């Protein structure tokens, strides 16, 4: 196997949980930089614009710049600009994520749309909103999603995510959603391009067995699971997805990389 030169790092559940940094995470980031690894941060976080997310992470002590972040909303907006030029888009999201969709014609929920985007909306994922999305798709609108995450871990426990609602819309409409975040192959390729490292020489470090590890491995990367977030070492998902390593925490990554040579 080729030596590892590049590292893709998930953020939530790997570097922090509910904006509380994982102990030792900052030291690992400094170590990666000192050792000459090329790395960036890939996240399906959807309730914050990329610039805002970078600012929040810096405020809690994680030295992550906006340029180092590859986010699902940014990837989704890029896809819309390429494939739906001038089309009306309804983006169901919360926070300031719409800042990442600058230049795209956006409509309100009571208006007709050519494209429906289900992003991180949390409490905004109401019956009214889902019924509107359903009607728009049934009328011919394209269905896009920033990710398929079914749930994530917050300080208060596991939280239902928007992937469950995307699945429901697919079942009801008979349409297949185009997903632009992890585990989409193009998302990983975009991240690899940003650090200039081929998939064969890169590793993805994440807490989600399906979206982080499975998605990365299908894209040709190695995948390392850390158990500080969503999935633990006894997850039944490990019966069909096999990480290249399972580590208790990001702090164990340097030792693993040293062993890999």
């Amino acid at each position: 196997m080729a030596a590892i030169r590049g590292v893709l790092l998930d953020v939530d559940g790997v570097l922090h949980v509910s904006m509380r940094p994982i102990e030792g995470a900052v030291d690992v980031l400094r170590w990666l930089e000192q050792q000459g690894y090329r790395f960036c941060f890939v996240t399906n976080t959807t309730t914050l614009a990329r610039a805002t997310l970078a600012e929040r992470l810096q405020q809690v002590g994680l030295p992550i710049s906006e340029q180092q972040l590859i986010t699902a909303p940014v990837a989704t907006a890029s896809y819309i600009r390429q494939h739906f030029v001038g089309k009306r888009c309804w983006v169901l999201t919360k926070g300031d994520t719409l800042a990442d969709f600058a230049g795209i014609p956006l409509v309100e929920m009571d208006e007709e749309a050519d494209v429906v985007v289900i992003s991180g909306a949390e409490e905004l994922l109401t019956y009214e909103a889902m019924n509107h999305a359903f009607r728009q798709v049934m009328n011919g609108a394209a269905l896009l999603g920033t990710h398929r995450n079914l749930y994530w871990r917050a300080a208060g426990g596991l939280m239902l995510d928007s992937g469950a609602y995307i699945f429901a819309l697919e079942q009801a409409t008979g349409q297949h959603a185009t997903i632009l975040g992890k585990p989409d192959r193009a998302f990983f390729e975009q991240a690899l391009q940003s650090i200039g490292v081929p998939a064969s020489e890169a590793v993805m470090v994440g807490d989600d067995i399906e979206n982080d590890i499975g998605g990365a491995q299908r894209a040709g990367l190695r995948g390392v699971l850390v158990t500080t977030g969503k999935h633990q070492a006894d997850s039944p998902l490990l019966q069909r997805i096999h990480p290249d390593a399972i580590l208790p925490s990001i702090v164990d990554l340097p030792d693993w990389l040293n062993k890999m040579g």
Side-chain angles (χ1 to χ4, degrees):
M1 300 180 72
I4 294 174
R5 296 193 299 117
V7 182
L8 307 186
L9 293 154
D10 186 25
V11 180
D12 195 352
V14 175
L15 301 176
H16 75 82
V17 173
S18 295
M19 287 297 171
R20 297 177 183 175
I22 300 294
E23 185 175 356
V26 174
D27 294 332
V28 172
L29 298 182
R30 290 173 180 156
W31 182 87
L32 289 171
E33 187 172 10
Q34 292 168 356
Q35 298 301 312
Y37 286 97
R38 298 182 181 183
F39 61 95
C40 69
F41 306 91
V42 292
T43 175
N44 277 349
T45 298
T46 52
T47 56
L48 296 171
R50 179 168 67 168
T52 305
L53 176 59
E55 183 180 356
R56 294 276 184 91
L57 293 170
Q58 292 164 14
Q59 288 174 348
V60 300
L62 292 169
I64 299 174
S65 69
E66 180 181 350
Q67 293 70 30
Q68 291 176 298
L69 278 169
I70 311 293
T71 73
V74 168
T76 303
S78 177
Y79 181 86
I80 292 172
R81 294 187 188 102
Q82 293 174 25
H83 298 276
F84 296 99
V85 179
K87 298 297 184 179
R88 299 164 300 175
C89 298
W90 178 54
V91 183
L92 180 57
T93 189
K94 64 176 290 187
D96 64 347
T97 312
L98 289 180
D100 291 328
F101 292 80
I104 296 172
L106 301 178
V107 299
E108 300 295 331
M109 191 172 78
D110 58 352
E111 300 177 279
E112 295 296 314
D114 302 302
V115 180
V116 170
V117 180
I118 306 298
S119 188
E122 298 179 5
E123 69 274 9
L124 301 181
L125 290 162
T126 62
Y127 175 79
E128 181 184 14
M130 286 297 95
N131 197 46
H132 178 71
F134 165 74
R135 288 176 173 176
Q136 296 301 300
V137 175
M138 290 296 284
N139 286 336
L143 177 61
L144 274 59
T146 52
H147 59 72
R148 284 195 184 276
N149 293 14
L150 298 176
Y151 60 91
W152 82 98
R153 182 176 295 278
L158 296 178
M159 307 282 286
L160 189 65
D161 213 337
S162 56
Y165 295 85
I166 293 173
F167 179 76
L169 286 172
E170 289 179 318
Q171 294 299 300
T173 64
Q175 300 300 310
H176 183 72
T178 299
I179 305 299
L180 284 310
K182 295 178 290 183
D184 185 75
R185 184 186 188 95
F187 186 80
F188 290 102
E189 290 174 346
Q190 181 179 344
L192 291 171
Q193 184 177 12
S194 75
I195 62 175
V197 174
S200 61
E201 298 177 11
V203 61
M204 171 71 211
V205 182
D207 70 322
D208 187 310
I209 295 171
E210 293 182 301
N211 291 323
D212 292 332
I213 309 307
Q217 289 177 334
R218 288 192 296 273
L221 295 83
R222 277 161 276 190
V224 169
L225 176 71
V226 294
T227 58
T228 47
K230 180 189 246 183
H231 292 143
Q232 305 302 303
D234 59 353
S235 171
L237 292 172
L238 293 170
Q239 295 177 14
R240 59 183 179 84
I241 298 174
H242 307 289
D244 293 87
I246 300 176
L247 304 178
S249 167
I250 187 71
V251 299
D252 301 290
L253 181 63
D255 284 342
W256 183 80
L257 287 171
N258 284 330
K259 291 176 183 177
M260 296 299 292

